[in-house]
Amino acid sequence: MKDPEPLSYEKWVEEALREVIKRALEHTAAVGLPGDHHFFITFMPDSSGVDIPAHLRAEHPNEMTIVLQHQFNDLIVTDEGFSVTLSFGGKHSHLSIPYSAIIAFADPAVNFVLQLKMAADDLMPVETLLAQPALVEAGEKDDGDQETPDEVDKMGEVITLDV
């Protein structure tokens, strides 16, 4: 008798969490971001399937966080990932990011944070993600758009998956 395949609960949970990210992006592509909602998406630029401009990859070789808030264009969501055009320093850049490259996703407006498994051994602490929300700032922001330390401290439950 053949040994049965192990039950891959951790893998299934991670796949489900990535589906949550996909659904949030699909909703945003269809109707936009309501109210104060905005997303911090952290990904690994060196992951397979990531397509970003060379200058961004050079500036952020291991980890990059983008912000989808007021100024983003051409958000296209597929079963494998998403693509979006953002402005960095006044220059438009097109990024394509597979869900498998995403290591963290946050929507501070509703105190929602997902931290996903990384291919590398070191996980970015969620506190670092939230304490430095503009690791990569896309577009011009008003001073009122930046979270204060008090707002960052009010972040809700963190869902972490270490497998």
Side-chain angles (χ1 to χ4, degrees):
M1 180 176 186
K2 182 180 174 188
D3 286 336
E5 290 290 317
L7 296 173
S8 303
Y9 293 115
E10 293 86 3
K11 179 182 174 190
W12 297 339
V13 168
E14 185 164 314
E15 288 172 355
L17 294 176
R18 292 183 192 283
E19 181 68 21
V20 170
I21 296 169
K22 175 186 171 196
R23 291 183 75 179
L25 292 169
E26 285 175 333
H27 180 84
T28 301
V31 299
L33 284 167
D36 291 334
H37 287 271
H38 54 291
F39 303 147
F40 296 113
I41 303 172
T42 302
F43 64 96
M44 298 182 310
D46 60 348
S47 289
S48 176
V50 172
D51 184 15
I52 62 174
H55 72 279
L56 292 177
R57 190 179 306 273
E59 291 174 25
H60 308 278
N62 301 318
E63 189 173 281
M64 182 173 171
T65 297
I66 59 172
V67 181
L68 297 186
Q69 189 168 13
H70 300 298
Q71 297 181 354
F72 63 89
N73 295 303
D74 307 320
L75 177 60
I76 299 172
V77 182
T78 68
D79 288 339
E80 292 77 34
F82 72 99
S83 62
V84 66
T85 300
L86 298 172
S87 179
F88 297 93
K91 181 179 178 187
H92 286 81
S93 298
H94 187 77
L95 296 82
S96 292
I97 303 164
Y99 302 119
S100 60
I102 298 173
I103 57 173
F105 176 90
D107 182 350
V110 291
N111 299 330
F112 183 77
V113 178
L114 293 176
Q115 185 166 356
L116 301 154
K117 177 184 167 197
M118 286 180 58
D121 292 334
D122 297 324
L123 285 176
M124 175 185 191
V126 173
E127 296 77 18
T128 302
L129 171 67
L130 297 176
Q132 301 175 14
L135 293 176
V136 175
E137 190 168 324
E140 303 299 321
K141 290 183 146 185
D142 296 331
D143 290 341
D145 289 341
Q146 189 73 19
E147 281 80 16
T148 66
D150 289 338
E151 289 173 317
V152 171
D153 289 340
K154 293 179 185 174
M155 295 307 294
E157 180 179 347
V158 174
I159 300 170
T160 303
L161 181 65
D162 295 322
V163 287

